[in-house]
Amino acid sequence: MKRNSTRKSFALLLAASMALMVMLSGCGGGKSASNVAPGNKNTGDSGGSEKQVTITHYTIDSEDRTFIEKLIPDFEKEHPNIKVKVEKAPYEQFDSKLQTLIAGGKSPDVTSHYGYGGFAEYYNKDMLLDLTDLIAEEGFKAGDYHIPDNLMKIYTVNNRTYGIPVNMYVTLMLYNKDMFDAAKLSYPPSDYEDKSWTFEKMVEEAKKMTLISDDIAKTQYGVDFTWAERDMRPLYFGAEPYSEDTWTNGGVPSETHFDSPEVIAAYQKLFDLIFKDKVSPNSEWSKSVAGQNGDPFVAGKIGMSIGGSWNLAGANDFPFNIGVAAVPWGGNDKVRSTLFVDPLMILKDSEHPKEAFEWIQFLLTTEVQEKSIELSGGNPPVNTEAAEAYYKHFDGIDPEDVKKVYEGAVKYGYESYNHLITKYSQINDMFINELQPVETGHKTLEEVMPVIQKKVTEIIKR
Amino acid sequence: MSTVKATSPRVPTSHSRRKADPVKIASFITLLITTFLMLLPLFFMVSTSLKSKREMLKFPPTFLPESWAWSNYTEIFDTLQFGTLYKNSLIIAGLTVIGTLLSSALVAYGFARYRGRGNQLWFALLLSTMMLPYPAIMIPQFVLFSKMNWIDTFLPLVVPAFFGSAYNIFLLRQFFSTLPEELFDAGRIDGCGELKMWRTIALPLSAPALATVAIFAFIYSWNDLLTPVLYLSSSDKFTLPVGMASLTSSRFRIPPWHLLMVASVLAMVPIVTLFAVAQKQFVEGIVLTGIK
């Protein structure tokens, strides 16, 4: 009896304390809600006669993306009825935060595919607003912003436009001038029309710069070939792993050919760089020299590095002299470079698409694109007029070379698969995992490629 | 086996010091080597934090900085609004610790000392919440907090701690169950209420368990990245992990490792301090309960 009553009183106490907690937290909630409210209210009803709205631009929390914050004052001066808020997340959490925001009814208005997922993934998840009517209504012409027409086509599906390009990265070759000088080699050409600059020639030169020693500090390699994502690399040699229809129906391929002899032969050529010609480092060596997300080229251990033009952005900090060159010809007459074109997109749940489109147009003007190069520390603009300023941005590199490399890359470029193929983050993860044993020399391509072919098919069907 | 035999008879005759014990020396050397190996990454963290941007890229890496870049430690405050982030993290982690200790200790006390109908069931239900991975509740929770207008405030990061967490409740319940019933009987005879017994008998005797829970709660909140990323959107409300993640966020730049190491060194300070303080509690607690 006694126990029972103590239990009751204790239960009562618990309940009371719980209630207190709820009240306390409720108070806190009310307080902070009022802290937040003024901002919302301002945007809601103040601002004079014109209705004021706030749009949200969701981006990656890194200096080369959040620079847009510095552009907002100018924009707001021109458009007093629109306020812009920047919402950001670190790269790794970009996709999960975006999904949560949309599911939680707090969808941002403007964003790009800056996370792991690409345009096709967003498109197939029905996250994007069809901009076609807005474009017509606003009289938007790509030409007015010096955006090449072929770039506009990338984010157009069945004649409906879902994204407007804003930045364009290409594949290019960076080379270590000091290593070329030491090996008494002449620098590779930046002209894409120079027919002597082939994959085989590159291997020859790489051999002359490679030095493998027991002393890890002395070891250096001639070339590191990281042309595009892994699944795209066969294209460089002219082998096509995805069926043609992929590019016309929202990024869903009806067939893939990762186990075809041509594709396997293409991969073989790349892995021969490591295991047969021994002019490229294996992934273990690269990691030990440059860490998990480092680049051994930056440590001055690689003569030539084929990679995205974002590598140029750090060029001013490299502890050696660098140059840019054309990607050598690998057997595909049409494709030598990858284009990584980042679009700005309006999300379907946006409440103010018209104002969001105003902001996008502002970001594309020549003046703002030129300013963005400096503010971002070297983001390449799509606006060809602003691009002239980009070519001059890098210390010690001839702007003429950068220009030639860029123009050649656009002429011989193919839009990166990661923007075009559905469920790309899963496909990419699978590729990294499955190719790992080949990269370390524990398995052969003949063993691995049929498995990859099977898994790609499964992922696409899922 | 032989080592046990060799050492155990020595315990009572340990007055005969001066005599070098080979087992002791060997274990001392092993410990010394392990300590050195364990401290090596820590050493590199501090060393890198004092290197210049250029030196950081060098291979093979230098052991000690060639020129000591003490300015890194001021630069971090300009790059990251480090002070604000640090303050935010401290506030959130501090409140989380208070909340976790209060709520978990109270609930655990209830579970440890009272038997009622469905007691086991409730406890099993509580433990089952541990099996839900965070991503599974992420979106519903976001919707809930968003409806409560808590987005971009510290509340979603702090308030849940005031409602207990299964793991900590379990840990404390196990500890409370070991406390002898006689103590509470004595308290009852002296006319103590339940809450007073919780406060004056159970809690002081549980210092080691409470210290453990405090450390867990602090470290969890201090390191948490995903929740602040989801709920906070103004830069001046960000926490330390969010700011530090942004340093490596660019896919296009070489991460400023030297600054990241500065941030890591400074981020370690509260954890080391807390551990040092709590460790004392730990030992005291053992001494106290040892008397019995």
Side-chain angles (χ1 to χ4, degrees):
Chain A
M1 199 53 203
K2 171 97 177 78
R3 272 219 96 105
N4 208 3
S5 76
T6 42
R7 196 167 75 213
K8 255 186 195 154
S9 66
F10 190 73
L12 211 77
L13 206 115
L14 249 172
S17 64
M18 283 292 187
L20 197 79
M21 293 288 183
V22 172
M23 267 160 66
L24 268 177
S25 55
C27 278
K31 211 169 159 195
S32 75
S34 69
N35 281 344
V36 175
N40 290 345
K41 270 208 185 98
N42 274 344
T43 57
D45 31 90
S46 74
S49 54
E50 260 201 305
K51 212 178 79 187
Q52 207 174 47
V53 298
T54 300
I55 56 165
T56 315
H57 186 136
Y58 179 60
T59 194
I60 288 197
D61 190 7
S62 73
E63 278 176 81
D64 52 337
R65 293 288 173 218
T66 51
F67 70 90
I68 49 168
E69 285 174 340
K70 296 179 188 139
L71 299 167
I72 294 173
D74 285 349
F75 175 77
E76 288 180 349
K77 214 183 283 165
E78 282 174 37
H79 303 82
N81 61 321
I82 309 173
K83 287 245 176 297
V84 183
K85 217 181 104 201
V86 173
E87 178 121 13
K88 47 203 174 181
Y91 177 51
E92 295 290 327
Q93 283 75 28
F94 184 86
D95 290 318
S96 45
K97 177 158 179 171
L98 181 61
Q99 299 283 356
T100 314
L101 286 173
I102 292 176
K106 298 255 168 187
S107 170
D109 298 279
V110 180
T111 191
S112 185
H113 52 198
Y114 291 143
Y116 284 106
F119 168 79
E121 206 163 317
Y122 289 10
Y123 171 79
N124 286 315
K125 278 185 182 162
D126 203 17
M127 284 159 64
L128 304 175
L129 186 79
D130 176 0
L131 301 176
T132 321
D133 297 336
L134 254 179
I135 288 174
E137 211 177 291
E138 296 270 318
F140 174 87
K141 280 190 201 74
D144 294 347
Y145 297 89
H146 308 281
I147 302 172
D149 280 332
N150 59 328
L151 297 189
M152 281 300 289
K153 279 188 206 130
I154 297 171
Y155 300 109
T156 300
V157 184
N158 297 330
N159 291 323
R160 312 299 290 180
T161 305
Y162 294 88
I164 315 244
V166 63
N167 287 121
M168 182 181 60
Y169 303 84
V170 299
T171 323
L172 43 72
M173 173 184 274
L174 290 184
Y175 59 93
N176 184 328
K177 280 187 174 171
D178 299 354
M179 273 174 77
F180 269 80
D181 292 344
K184 298 197 172 59
L185 289 167
S186 55
Y187 299 143
S190 56
D191 184 1
Y192 269 79
E193 308 306 331
D194 184 340
K195 301 286 179 212
S196 70
W197 186 226
T198 61
F199 188 78
E200 285 70 29
K201 177 93 186 291
M202 177 192 79
V203 175
E204 283 312 307
E205 305 218 326
K207 276 182 183 157
K208 289 174 192 152
M209 285 185 283
T210 302
L211 191 122
I212 299 168
S213 151
D214 288 339
D215 181 0
I216 191 165
K218 281 193 188 129
T219 301
Q220 58 178 44
Y221 287 96
V223 65
D224 196 9
F225 200 93
T226 53
W227 193 86
E229 297 293 359
R230 288 164 178 75
D231 63 332
M232 196 174 175
R233 287 179 197 167
L235 188 68
Y236 173 76
F237 296 104
E240 287 184 31
Y242 294 97
S243 57
E244 267 303 310
D245 56 2
T246 312
W247 326 119
T248 50
N249 63 357
V252 188
S254 60
E255 273 178 75
T256 55
H257 312 289
F258 283 99
D259 50 358
S260 77
E262 297 82 41
V263 170
I264 294 180
Y267 278 114
Q268 195 59 55
K269 267 187 156 174
L270 290 179
F271 283 110
D272 279 351
L273 291 175
I274 304 173
F275 299 111
K276 201 170 129 237
D277 304 319
K278 297 196 166 59
V279 291
S280 284
N282 61 26
S283 54
E284 283 157 349
W285 185 87
S286 298
K287 270 179 198 162
S288 65
V289 167
Q292 196 68 36
N293 28 350
D295 178 349
F297 178 76
V298 174
K301 300 286 167 185
I302 307 277
M304 297 171 271
S305 168
I306 287 87
S309 57
W310 48 82
N311 292 339
L312 251 180
N316 296 352
D317 288 325
F318 293 169
F320 48 84
N321 295 310
I322 75 155
V324 288
V327 176
W329 178 79
N332 187 341
D333 285 326
K334 290 204 188 89
V335 183
R336 277 162 77 179
S337 173
T338 321
L339 305 179
F340 304 89
V341 179
D342 285 333
L344 288 171
M345 309 176 289
I346 300 181
L347 290 161
K348 208 168 197 177
D349 294 338
S350 165
E351 279 167 25
H352 309 292
K354 231 180 143 157
E355 286 78 5
F357 197 67
E358 288 286 327
W359 166 243
I360 290 179
Q361 282 174 289
F362 170 80
L363 291 175
L364 293 171
T365 54
T366 306
E367 192 197 343
V368 175
Q369 287 245 299
E370 272 174 2
K371 223 172 163 183
S372 305
I373 302 167
E374 276 311 312
L375 289 175
S376 65
N379 283 3
V382 282
N383 184 321
T384 49
E385 213 171 87
E388 295 294 332
Y390 172 77
Y391 303 143
K392 296 185 193 113
H393 180 77
F394 306 98
D395 296 347
I397 303 177
D398 186 357
E400 205 46 45
D401 278 341
V402 186
K403 185 175 179 170
K404 271 191 201 158
V405 162
Y406 245 84
E407 284 173 353
V410 173
K411 189 172 170 196
Y412 296 102
Y414 199 97
E415 177 57 20
S416 171
Y417 285 4
N418 72 330
H419 302 156
L420 301 178
I421 293 170
T422 191
K423 296 191 176 119
Y424 197 78
S425 44
Q426 290 171 49
I427 294 179
N428 194 39
D429 280 348
M430 186 273 292
F431 256 88
I432 292 171
N433 291 335
E434 296 296 327
L435 277 180
Q436 184 83 34
V438 186
E439 281 165 17
T440 52
H442 290 94
K443 270 190 184 169
T444 66
L445 282 164
E446 282 73 19
E447 288 174 281
V448 168
M449 293 321 291
V451 180
I452 288 184
Q453 166 65 15
K454 205 172 132 240
K455 291 200 171 172
V456 170
T457 319
E458 278 167 14
I459 293 174
I460 290 166
K461 275 195 193 136
R462 213 178 274 158
Chain B
M1 271 316 261
S2 61
T3 52
V4 175
K5 264 184 190 162
T7 50
S8 49
R10 205 151 285 171
V11 177
T13 58
S14 66
H15 309 283
S16 61
R17 14 184 130 126
R18 297 283 151 229
K19 214 172 138 194
D21 182 339
V23 179
K24 249 188 188 164
I25 291 173
S27 58
F28 184 72
I29 290 172
T30 321
L31 277 177
L32 210 66
I33 293 170
T34 337
T35 312
F36 178 74
L37 287 176
M38 298 287 231
L39 285 178
L40 206 60
L42 221 62
F43 169 81
F44 263 102
M45 180 170 89
V46 178
S47 159
T48 310
S49 79
L50 291 166
K51 285 177 188 170
S52 68
K53 199 171 181 183
R54 258 176 193 235
E55 200 183 335
M56 163 196 95
L57 297 177
K58 267 198 179 155
F59 186 87
T62 45
F63 203 63
L64 282 169
E66 283 164 359
S67 57
W68 298 70
W70 291 104
S71 57
N72 288 349
Y73 277 79
T74 48
E75 201 187 326
I76 189 87
F77 286 89
D78 304 333
T79 346
L80 263 189
Q81 357 159 242
F82 197 73
T84 316
L85 299 181
Y86 213 87
K87 195 187 76 200
N88 293 343
S89 270
L90 276 179
I91 294 174
I92 291 170
L95 288 173
T96 304
V97 170
I98 295 172
T100 309
L101 282 180
L102 277 179
S103 60
S104 299
L106 199 65
V107 177
Y109 186 70
F111 272 121
R113 311 244 332 122
Y114 295 95
R115 299 270 157 271
R117 200 174 299 138
N119 192 304
Q120 293 297 321
L121 181 76
W122 287 114
F123 196 60
L125 209 65
L126 176 84
L127 289 186
S128 68
T129 60
M130 269 163 53
M131 285 160 204
L132 277 177
Y134 184 66
I137 56 163
M138 195 166 91
I139 290 173
Q141 207 179 54
F142 184 87
V143 174
L144 173 78
F145 288 141
S146 145
K147 289 242 160 79
M148 290 164 95
N149 240 332
W150 281 10
I151 303 302
D152 205 21
T153 70
F154 290 166
L155 291 167
L157 310 175
V158 170
V159 173
F162 282 86
F163 291 88
S165 70
Y167 181 74
N168 291 324
I169 292 172
F170 175 71
L171 199 96
L172 287 172
R173 187 196 92 124
Q174 298 310 94
F175 198 87
F176 287 148
S177 313
T178 64
L179 296 178
E181 186 62 33
E182 291 79 5
L183 282 174
F184 295 95
D185 285 342
R188 217 165 275 128
I189 290 164
D190 288 346
C192 259
E194 278 302 331
L195 199 62
K196 201 172 179 193
M197 284 204 281
W198 173 70
R199 199 165 49 84
T200 56
I201 301 174
L203 288 190
L205 288 177
S206 316
L210 293 173
T212 313
V213 168
I215 291 178
F216 282 160
F218 188 86
I219 291 179
Y220 174 78
S221 161
W222 189 253
N223 291 339
D224 188 18
L225 173 62
L226 190 57
T227 347
V229 162
L230 285 184
Y231 290 110
L232 304 175
S233 49
S234 327
S235 312
D236 59 346
K237 293 202 180 87
F238 280 178
T239 61
L240 211 48
V242 182
M244 282 165 72
S246 77
L247 282 181
T248 56
S249 247
S250 175
R251 286 173 293 168
F252 305 153
R253 306 290 139 85
I254 310 154
W257 291 119
H258 57 311
L259 292 183
L260 198 69
M261 289 304 133
V262 172
S264 309
V265 170
L266 294 175
M268 232 174 59
V269 173
I271 292 190
V272 173
T273 318
L274 181 77
F275 200 76
V277 174
Q279 203 180 26
K280 206 175 135 224
Q281 281 297 315
F282 227 92
V283 178
E284 265 173 23
I286 291 165
V287 173
L288 266 177
T289 43
I291 298 169
K292 235 183 243 180

